[in-house]
Amino acid sequence: MNLDAIPQGVVAGSIPLFAGHPARELLPINGLKPVIQAAWRAGGVARFLNYGDEQGNPQLIDFLVERLNHRENLGISRDNLMIIGGSTGGVDMATKRLTAPGDVVLADAPSYRDALHIFRDQGLEIRAAPIDEAGIVLADLKRALRQLAAKGKAPRFYYVVPNFQNPSGITMSRERRLAVIELSRQYGFVILEDDVYSDLRYEGAAPPSFYDLAGGERVLRLGTFSKTLAPGLRIGWLIASAERIASFVESGMLRMGGGANPFSAAIVADFCRSGAWEAHARWLRGQYERRRDLALAALQSSMPADVEWTRPAGGYFIWLRLPASIHVDDLEARAQERGLYFASGRGFFVDPDEGARHLRLSFSYVPLPDLQAGIQTLGALIAGMASGG
Amino acid sequence: MNLDAIPQGVVAGSIPLFAGHPARELLPINGLKPVIQAAWRAGGVARFLNYGDEQGNPQLIDFLVERLNHRENLGISRDNLMIIGGSTGGVDMATKRLTAPGDVVLADAPSYRDALHIFRDQGLEIRAAPIDEAGIVLADLKRALRQLAAKGKAPRFYYVVPNFQNPSGITMSRERRLAVIELSRQYGFVILEDDVYSDLRYEGAAPPSFYDLAGGERVLRLGTFSKTLAPGLRIGWLIASAERIASFVESGMLRMGGGANPFSAAIVADFCRSGAWEAHARWLRGQYERRRDLALAALQSSMPADVEWTRPAGGYFIWLRLPASIHVDDLEARAQERGLYFASGRGFFVDPDEGARHLRLSFSYVPLPDLQAGIQTLGALIAGMASGG
């Protein structure tokens, strides 16, 4: 969705706190320009205007393999990584290749709305287990697995945003990850690790990825440049076993289309190899950390005592729980009258009613004054509704 | 597949007549540069570096709607068109959204290899009917439909490249198109019209599209910039009923990814709106026509009398039939020893053995001297084999 148009279109001066978009002013517009110019000067353009390798831009593959091995001591080779059309391209491919309509997949409750939408488009049955501050609740996950097994059903994969989850901002603990991996072995499902936000950590240390903890077995790990560079380029990557990568690369879609977005992948490759991406991501972390801190401070000063919210160590999102007396639909209607938009909790659950007391705030997109003003408005609305107004 | 690397890598001086790629030297490298620079100067970059509209770049949609209505008197509105990631993106989306594993789809025999690959990836059963110089043979198509109906099966769609078909170069006649549309109504299948090459017509007039002849009913028509601009940009379009477009636009994949490739779509939009695309396509037609003429002349002068080939009025491909005594595998092995690569007929049939006497030559990719030399070598090889050499 193009949000640059929508807010102004709906209500002048509106505040879109629902958007999981990078802020316009944080896109590296000036940084990309010289990279593109240099590619033209160097004559590299002919290379990336034609069909590309099915596995994706070779220079970008090499860069990512080296970076991941250096930062995480991951020990992958270029056979373990392919370029995809954003993390979306990976979720779509995994869904197509690993499932058939009627199959079951596992997810968190709440989970990322648009991924649930992709699963529904493919006619999949989604079983979700609740999360707490450390990630998926194991007792609930085990119960779901037992119930499915009793019906002779085996889930195909578990979809998870492990770090700064969308929508909750929660990071799953190392212990939970290990336990889920154990269950994945026991029940034979794949873990689809949609690691969108790990490069936007503002404090603390990251637990090892599912891919790392599982020794690369039965895990598909997705990464993306959408949050640390620019979503419009549509470039991400997939890490998996060499066999899995080879099978994906052999797909008709990649044969026909010639690898993920050769033109923008080459631009991203050059941007990364110049060192500009690391520098930009570092700067971004500082910018988003300020936004997060401001949002948390505004929540602290604006919200009535019976509102609860998460304190994410990275990413884009804060997840709110409303007082029992307030339904999110009512709050949403009143907020929109004032030009304030948030993501209703209802979209993030298989059963929308489970989200009736929740909402997601995104601190990534709006300018800081709007972020503060939006949260203040929201606090006043909730306080008014809680007091029967 | 990146062919700039392969030929040199396999055999120095090799001639890749198998590649359905635009020639490197025919890519509008210098034409694209000022378009991109202007976008940066005008500040349009922020707009297309972020997530875009699910339906695709609005300016490009408007341009295409106006062009198609002007050229073909098509009478579509912007509700009938969406931007996709090349025609591949459309085949992939249609396959995902219109079929489930085990479903039947119809195709020509021969048909485009990579599309068959996509259908197989999705677990579809492919029923193909032979084509002659006017397209699919109706008696065979009707027989296939009756046989399927007798088994209680209804095909989901008929996949067709209507103009300058890949691999045969054949254009389906108006009468055949009308008859297929009639059958599509009778049996309830969709026509997936992959109209990749219609902007590369070198002579004669085009029959109306399936979409046009069917009044837009039950037809998905795909177009692409891959052959007339640059495949690496991954931009095409889909024309369909407003209901169908709305349902595709509402998909989880487009919600998550934000429309097809916003960055390159914006570049394509600006290139088109400046008039550069029409001018480039016109120039391209002249260039490819020369290549086709040279290829046909070389075939005429090099091939033994019992070799037959098509004479395409556009597109990239010529389809050869070998003498009964020659198996394409033997010819392929001998050709590759001499650094000559073509597309074996076997890949274009559901039953590869049907293609054992056929091969596809592409005249789009290699320089003219190589095209001539390659066909001469091929002729000599066939003559040698036919005489028992």
Side-chain angles (χ1 to χ4, degrees), chain B residues 307-330:
Chain B
V307 177
E308 293 177 8
W309 59 89
T310 56
R311 284 163 187 78
Y316 278 7
F317 306 115
I318 297 170
W319 183 238
L320 259 76
R321 193 168 71 177
L322 300 169
S325 62
I326 299 179
H327 193 288
V328 70
D329 288 355
D330 298 332

Side-chain angles (χ1 to χ4, degrees), chain A residues 198-260:
Chain A
S198 63
D199 288 313
L200 293 177
R201 170 176 288 282
Y202 316 132
E203 62 194 34
S209 67
F210 278 99
Y211 183 87
D212 193 3
L213 291 170
E217 226 183 294
R218 243 200 305 273
V219 177
L220 305 183
R221 175 175 161 193
L222 308 174
T224 181
F225 290 99
S226 291
K227 309 303 178 184
T228 53
L229 208 170
L233 297 167
R234 307 308 312 134
I235 297 294
W237 61 92
L238 164 63
I239 309 171
S241 71
E243 295 71 28
R244 188 81 73 183
I245 295 290
S247 112
F248 285 170
V249 165
E250 267 301 307
S251 73
M253 182 165 171
L254 289 171
R255 285 269 167 189
M256 183 168 169

Side-chain angles (χ1 to χ4, degrees), chain A residues 1-2 22 29 36 40 49-53 88 92 96 112 117 121 227 231-232 250 252-253 256 261 263, chain B residues 1-2 22 29 36 40 49-53 88 92 96 112 117 121 227 231-232 250 252-253 256 261 263:
Chain A
M1 184 165 14
N2 186 342
I29 294 170
I36 297 176
W40 245 275
L49 282 178
N50 223 322
Y51 292 101
D53 295 339
T88 306
D92 179 64
K96 267 189 307 189
Y112 174 36
H117 193 151
D121 285 347
K227 309 303 178 184
E250 267 301 307
M253 182 165 171
M256 183 168 169
N261 296 331
F263 180 70
Chain B
M1 182 166 17
N2 185 343
I29 294 169
I36 296 176
W40 244 275
L49 282 178
N50 223 323
Y51 292 102
D53 296 339
T88 306
D92 179 65
K96 268 190 308 189
Y112 174 37
H117 193 152
D121 285 347
K227 309 302 178 184
E250 267 301 307
M253 182 166 172
M256 183 168 170
N261 295 331
F263 180 70

Side-chain angles (χ1 to χ4, degrees), chain B residues 131-137 168-173 176 310:
Chain B
I131 55 172
D132 62 20
E133 71 289 341
I136 196 160
V137 177
S168 70
I170 289 292
T171 294
M172 197 182 298
S173 71
R176 295 277 174 95
T310 56

Side-chain angles (χ1 to χ4, degrees), chain B residues 38-118:
Chain B
W40 244 275
R41 272 198 306 275
V45 188
R47 173 174 57 83
F48 61 77
L49 282 178
N50 223 323
Y51 292 102
D53 296 339
E54 284 86 353
Q55 194 179 346
N57 182 289
Q59 286 78 30
L60 188 55
I61 293 172
D62 288 339
F63 171 85
L64 288 166
V65 167
E66 194 176 319
R67 177 177 189 266
L68 287 156
N69 284 339
H70 178 71
R71 284 169 63 105
E72 304 182 21
N73 198 20
L74 207 55
I76 57 172
S77 79
R78 68 190 326 283
D79 295 340
N80 296 116
L81 192 144
M82 67 187 288
I83 305 302
I84 53 181
S87 118
T88 306
V91 172
D92 179 65
M93 189 167 60
T95 306
K96 268 190 308 189
R97 300 297 297 275
L98 303 185
T99 72
D103 279 348
V104 181
V105 294
L106 302 167
D108 296 336
S111 188
Y112 174 37
R113 189 177 45 183
D114 295 340
L116 298 180
H117 193 152
I118 289 180

Side-chain angles (χ1 to χ4, degrees), chain A residues 66-369:
Chain A
E66 194 176 319
R67 177 176 189 266
L68 287 157
N69 284 340
H70 178 71
R71 285 170 62 105
E72 303 181 22
N73 199 20
L74 206 56
I76 56 172
S77 80
R78 68 190 325 282
D79 295 340
N80 297 116
L81 192 144
M82 67 187 288
I83 305 302
I84 53 181
S87 118
T88 306
V91 172
D92 179 64
M93 188 166 61
T95 306
K96 267 189 307 189
R97 300 298 295 275
L98 303 184
T99 72
D103 281 349
V104 181
V105 294
L106 303 166
D108 295 336
S111 188
Y112 174 36
R113 189 178 44 184
D114 295 340
L116 298 180
H117 193 151
I118 289 180
F119 305 151
R120 279 193 294 260
D121 285 347
Q122 288 296 292
L124 301 176
E125 180 187 339
I126 308 164
R127 283 296 297 260
I131 55 171
D132 61 21
E133 71 289 341
I136 197 160
V137 177
L138 294 172
D140 292 293
L141 176 58
K142 286 175 186 167
R143 188 178 318 117
L145 286 165
R146 280 195 307 269
Q147 287 171 349
L148 287 168
K151 287 193 268 184
K153 289 185 178 178
R156 305 299 295 173
F157 61 71
Y158 163 51
Y159 173 78
V160 59
V161 179
N163 299 305
F164 327 123
Q165 195 234 24
N166 184 352
S168 70
I170 290 292
T171 294
M172 197 182 299
S173 71
R174 178 193 172 101
E175 292 66 33
R176 295 277 175 95
R177 296 181 191 212
L178 285 167
V180 170
I181 289 166
E182 186 50 40
L183 290 169
S184 80
R185 289 179 180 149
Q186 193 180 336
Y187 287 91
F189 59 86
V190 166
I191 296 166
L192 182 53
E193 179 178 29
D194 195 5
D195 192 18
V196 181
Y197 301 101
S198 63
D199 288 313
L200 293 177
R201 170 176 288 282
Y202 316 132
E203 62 194 34
S209 67
F210 278 99
Y211 183 87
D212 193 3
L213 291 170
E217 226 183 294
R218 243 200 305 273
V219 177
L220 305 183
R221 175 175 161 193
L222 308 174
T224 181
F225 290 99
S226 291
K227 309 303 178 184
T228 53
L229 208 170
L233 297 167
R234 307 308 312 134
I235 297 294
W237 61 92
L238 164 63
I239 309 171
S241 71
E243 295 71 28
R244 188 81 73 183
I245 295 290
S247 112
F248 285 170
V249 165
E250 267 301 307
S251 73
M253 182 165 171
L254 289 171
R255 285 269 167 189
M256 183 168 169
N261 296 331
F263 180 70
S264 47
I267 293 169
V268 173
D270 288 352
F271 192 74
C272 287
R273 294 163 81 207
S274 74
W277 180 50
E278 297 283 6
H280 180 67
R282 200 177 314 123
W283 175 77
L284 266 189
R285 283 190 287 273
Q287 297 295 316
Y288 283 128
E289 184 181 3
R290 275 181 61 204
R291 287 168 191 242
R292 181 202 59 167
D293 292 347
L294 182 117
L296 290 174
L299 285 162
Q300 193 62 45
S301 65
S302 313
M303 287 295 149
D306 46 0
V307 177
E308 295 177 7
W309 60 89
T310 55
R311 283 161 188 78
Y316 279 5
F317 305 114
I318 297 170
W319 183 238
L320 258 76
R321 193 167 71 177
L322 300 170
S325 63
I326 300 180
H327 194 288
V328 70
D329 288 356
D330 298 332
L331 178 62
E332 190 172 31
R334 295 190 192 205
Q336 290 188 3
E337 283 169 14
R338 284 160 184 78
L340 180 66
Y341 295 81
F342 55 76
S344 163
R346 294 167 55 83
F348 300 97
F349 291 88
V350 177
D351 172 6
D353 287 345
E354 288 184 48
R357 283 176 61 210
H358 285 97
L359 61 92
R360 185 193 77 180
L361 295 180
S362 168
F363 54 82
S364 64
Y365 185 69
V366 302
L368 278 86

